């Protein structure tokens, strides 16, 4: 291995450490606790080293969001693939989405609530974000209904899931009806 390859590997390792540490700190104490000073202390590198990887907290949030999008896409596909039939796949997809949001609140915030400097719904949208949307579309397109554009239906279904995730987490919805909400969403929106 050349010196250049070793340096690149070490750099990639530091970057993964920064992102993992930011994510861990955000999940434990919230995003307000994630500062470059605190990250530098936790990873035992100087702040200039941290800044050589990320220009600041915004880029770190973006990196966590991209990682989260890849994880969400995998969770959505895994959930849907375990179900049999279109309606069951949509129900499993919805459950996988809501479970991901509940298990990873700081990552979910990085993806959808905080400014990570990422473009959504544009040509320059990063691949992990496109793939997370594709994971929804793959299973929702077949239940959109006649004359309904599958991507538009997916956006509406996604918005409903996001609303459920956000309102549930904020304590605005009674916790006992989570499954009934998913059933209602699937029954009223998905055409099979």
């Amino acid at each position: 291995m050349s010196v250049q390859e070793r340096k690149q590997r070490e750099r990639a390792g530091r970057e993964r450490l920064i992102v993992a540490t930011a994510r861990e700190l955000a999940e434990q104490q919230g995003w307000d606790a994630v500062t470059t000073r605190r990250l530098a202390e936790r990873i035992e590198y100087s702040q200039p080293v941290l800044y050589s990887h990320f220009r600041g907290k915004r880029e770190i949030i973006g990196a966590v969001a991209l990682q989260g999008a890849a994880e969400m896409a995998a969770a959505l596909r895994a959930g849907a693939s375990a179900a049999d039939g279109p309606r069951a796949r949509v129900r499993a997809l919805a459950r996988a989405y809501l479970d991901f949001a509940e298990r990873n609140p700081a990552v979910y915030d990085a993806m959808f609530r905080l400014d990570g400097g990422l473009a959504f719904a544009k040509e320059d949208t990063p691949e992990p974000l496109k793939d997370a949307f594709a994971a929804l579309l793959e299973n929702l397109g077949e239940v959109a209904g006649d004359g309904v554009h599958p991507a538009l239906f997916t956006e509406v279904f996604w918005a409903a899931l996001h609303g459920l995730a956000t309102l549930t987490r904020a304590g605005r919805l009674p916790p006992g009806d989570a499954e009934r909400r998913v059933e209602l969403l699937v029954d009223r929106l998905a055409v099979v």
Side-chain angles (χ1 to χ4, degrees):
M1 171 181 305
S2 73
V3 173
Q4 178 74 3
E5 289 172 327
R6 182 181 52 77
K7 286 183 179 186
Q8 287 175 339
R9 191 180 72 226
E10 288 172 356
R11 180 171 177 76
R14 276 193 310 271
E15 195 164 298
R16 283 191 302 274
L17 178 62
I18 293 165
V19 172
T21 304
R23 182 176 174 165
E24 178 184 319
L25 187 57
E27 291 291 359
Q28 291 171 354
Q29 299 177 30
W31 278 103
D32 288 341
V34 179
T35 64
T36 54
R37 183 180 58 76
R38 188 172 282 160
L39 282 174
E41 289 171 1
R42 283 218 175 173
I43 65 171
E44 298 178 345
Y45 283 100
S46 68
Q47 281 184 291
V49 168
L50 194 138
Y51 282 116
S52 75
H53 291 273
F54 298 99
R55 285 182 281 194
K57 183 175 177 177
R58 181 179 188 220
E59 282 190 6
I60 294 168
I61 290 169
V64 170
L66 292 176
Q67 187 180 74
E71 291 170 10
M72 176 182 268
L76 294 174
R77 286 186 176 107
S81 71
D84 188 32
R87 188 176 283 318
R89 276 193 297 280
V90 172
R91 189 176 302 108
L93 181 80
R95 190 71 258 148
Y97 184 98
L98 295 171
D99 288 347
F100 180 88
E102 183 180 351
R103 281 191 323 271
N104 305 283
V107 173
Y108 193 82
D109 284 349
M111 292 168 64
F112 300 119
R113 193 179 68 79
L114 302 174
D115 179 10
L118 304 173
F120 281 81
K122 297 190 169 129
E123 255 184 62
D124 62 338
T125 298
E127 247 349 277
L129 298 178
K130 288 179 183 178
D131 190 48
F133 185 78
L136 291 167
L137 180 61
E138 290 162 10
N139 293 287
L140 294 172
E142 68 182 325
V143 298
D146 293 336
V148 178
H149 192 281
L152 183 62
F153 178 79
T154 300
E155 290 170 354
V156 171
F157 201 90
W158 173 29
L161 290 173
H162 177 69
L164 288 174
T166 303
L167 292 170
T168 299
R169 181 169 158 207
R172 304 291 197 270
L173 299 175
D177 293 326
E179 288 307 315
R180 287 184 29 202
R181 284 187 201 96
V182 169
E183 289 299 321
L184 183 62
L185 179 64
V186 172
D187 289 344
R188 299 294 184 210
L189 289 182
V191 177
V192 178

